Amino acid sequence: MDNTYEFLSSSNIESYLTSRPETSSVIDSTSIVEIKEVGDGNLNLVFIVKDNQGKGIVLKQALPYVRLVGPSWPMSPDRARIEFETTVIHSLAAKHLVPEIYFYDTDRFIIAMEDLSDHQVWRTALNNGEINHGGAESVGEYIAKVTFATSVFGAGADAHKKGIARAINPEICLITEDLVFTEPYFPGERNSYLPANEPDAQAIINDEQMVLEMGHLKFTFMTASEALIHGDLHTGSVMVKSDADGNEISTRAFDSEFSFYGPIAFDIGAVFANFYIALARSIALGRTEHISFIETLPTAMWDSFENHFRTLWPTRLDKRVFSDRLLDDLMVSWKEDAFGFASAKMARRIVGLAKTSDIETLDPNVREGAARGVLRSAQMLIRERHNHLSVAAMTEKVKSIMQEVRTEGDDK
Ligand code: SR1
Ligand code: MG
């Protein structure tokens, strides 16, 4: 693969857009007034470009290395193709829940897509203590619709197998296999945390049951090609737009470069984890009303996922042994695995590489308790996941742990 392609910059974007006539109805490349680089820093370059009429476009370019670390960690830019293809495939099942794609540049690994700058990244909104009704339900709907459509149930055996071959994404999957399922349990130079959290990090390393469960979950992640999942569905991969009362106008899942045919419960667990991390922040900051809002989100998302998947179930292509009882069993095992994947995702965001602003922007005295709450909740989830508790009951347990280990800041 040629990794010597030209990178986008504010000085070449205007001429680049002029060379792509398919964007002429989206933005006027001769009257560009603003170019902002907004990549969150982990992997890619992301530019929002605006013309003098206020029309905009997003250009996202994959670099041939991991941006967070630099050229010493090479990474195939083919992940941009995966994101482009997945977004298009997902749009066939849930058009209103993903950004519109205008083109994919195969030579320079650039995706041109809808400008959603009238939305907010959901993590930012949650960090600010905002309430966005309907977002969790839409994320559940997105997971249900795209996973049903790309599973053997919605796509059939032949298309499902061909899809697996097309979407194979080994380098990116290895990031998750290492960072999410392995490194938090084996001290290494990519792990970091506050000195005060050293005993908490040590506790998960010494937690034999947790390490064994990570083995089971990693094996499932690496082998269960159930559907074309998003692969990195955290609250930074969701944009929300709400009215003045916090009611949903639009919700979009984006940034699916970690997509591959994997376990459906992985996406669900990623969302649970990020709601729980947002809950830890709100508890740390003593935001009573926001805590009450966030604790409703896991159930709202799960119920929406289950209802939408059950609604699609009668349309499955082969009903012979894929019975209604099978669906009931799948729901039980997906919920169990989702809590396991949530546990893995929570621990990695505290101990491993690539953390979350929810926790990292807290004052260290307060962060200590929030980080401890996330790690102890992860240990609880991994044990309780087999006990068939409701999502609400699990969330209540998470909240109790986080409240119990909360630490006070200097100014409190
Ligand atoms: C080196 S990439 C680090 C993380 O960024 C992405 O958002 C994924 O979560 C990945 O694990
Ligand atoms: Mg990302």
Side-chain angles (χ1 to χ4, degrees), residues 116-253:
L116 294 172
S117 43
D118 59 343
H119 292 56
Q120 287 190 87
V121 174
W122 204 5
R123 188 185 304 288
T124 308
L126 290 170
N127 282 355
N128 291 338
E130 291 178 29
I131 288 177
N132 313 92
H133 299 294
E137 288 83 348
S138 286
V139 172
E141 177 185 349
Y142 163 76
I143 299 173
K145 287 187 169 169
V146 304
T147 58
F148 181 86
T150 56
S151 68
V152 290
F153 306 127
D158 189 58
H160 176 256
K161 288 183 181 64
K162 288 178 178 148
I164 292 172
R166 184 201 48 74
I168 197 152
N169 201 354
E171 267 188 298
I172 286 281
C173 285
L174 183 63
I175 294 179
T176 306
E177 289 152 22
D178 286 344
L179 297 189
V180 176
F181 294 108
T182 313
E183 293 185 10
Y185 310 94
F186 294 90
E189 59 189 34
R190 293 205 291 217
N191 290 349
S192 63
Y193 34 79
L194 289 171
N197 290 123
E198 170 71 38
D200 309 301
Q202 204 52 52
I204 67 161
I205 291 170
N206 295 336
D207 186 338
E208 287 178 18
Q209 190 176 344
M210 186 159 186
V211 177
L212 173 63
E213 291 276 349
M214 285 305 141
H216 283 289
L217 291 160
K218 181 174 176 179
F219 180 66
T220 300
F221 177 83
M222 294 174 77
T223 56
S225 304
E226 293 177 347
L228 183 63
I229 64 170
H230 179 287
D232 195 22
L233 194 53
H234 52 78
T235 48
S237 299
V238 176
M239 305 279 279
V240 292
K241 183 177 172 186
S242 307
D243 67 16
D245 298 321
N247 294 316
E248 179 186 43
I249 296 174
S250 164
T251 301
R252 313 291 185 95

Side-chain angles (χ1 to χ4, degrees), residues 10 13-14 17 27-36 48-56:
S10 36
I13 279 181
E14 195 175 316
L17 283 173
I27 190 164
D28 177 5
S29 65
T30 64
S31 69
I32 302 298
V33 291
E34 189 180 281
I35 298 175
K36 261 194 309 190
I48 301 178
V49 187
K50 298 268 192 199
D51 69 14
N52 65 359
Q53 301 296 306
K55 294 199 289 183

Side-chain angles (χ1 to χ4, degrees), residues 40 42-43 66-69 73 75 172 175-176 179-180 190 231-234 237 255 257-258 345 348-349 353-355:
D40 72 358
N42 283 354
L43 287 163
V66 174
R67 186 177 180 186
L68 177 68
V69 174
W73 188 349
M75 184 64 49
I172 286 281
I175 294 179
T176 306
L179 297 189
V180 176
R190 293 205 291 217
D232 195 22
L233 194 53
H234 52 78
S237 299
D255 203 17
E257 68 197 312
F258 279 68
K345 290 269 194 174
R348 71 70 60 109
R349 291 293 186 196
L353 185 73
K355 306 200 186 293

Side-chain angles (χ1 to χ4, degrees), residues 16-91:
Y16 178 69
L17 283 173
T18 306
S19 74
R20 303 293 313 209
E22 60 269 61
T23 61
S24 61
S25 61
V26 179
I27 190 164
D28 177 5
S29 65
T30 64
S31 69
I32 302 298
V33 291
E34 189 180 281
I35 298 175
K36 261 194 309 190
E37 208 283 304
V38 296
D40 72 358
N42 283 354
L43 287 163
N44 309 293
L45 295 173
V46 184
F47 292 91
I48 301 178
V49 187
K50 298 268 192 199
D51 69 14
N52 65 359
Q53 301 296 306
K55 294 199 289 183
I57 193 168
V58 168
L59 297 176
K60 176 172 178 179
Q61 184 174 38
L63 297 169
Y65 52 82
V66 174
R67 186 177 180 186
L68 177 68
V69 174
S72 63
W73 188 349
M75 184 64 49
S76 166
D78 188 48
R79 62 186 186 272
R81 174 189 62 82
I82 297 277
E83 177 176 345
F84 158 66
E85 291 180 0
T86 291
T87 309
V88 170
I89 292 166
H90 283 181
S91 76

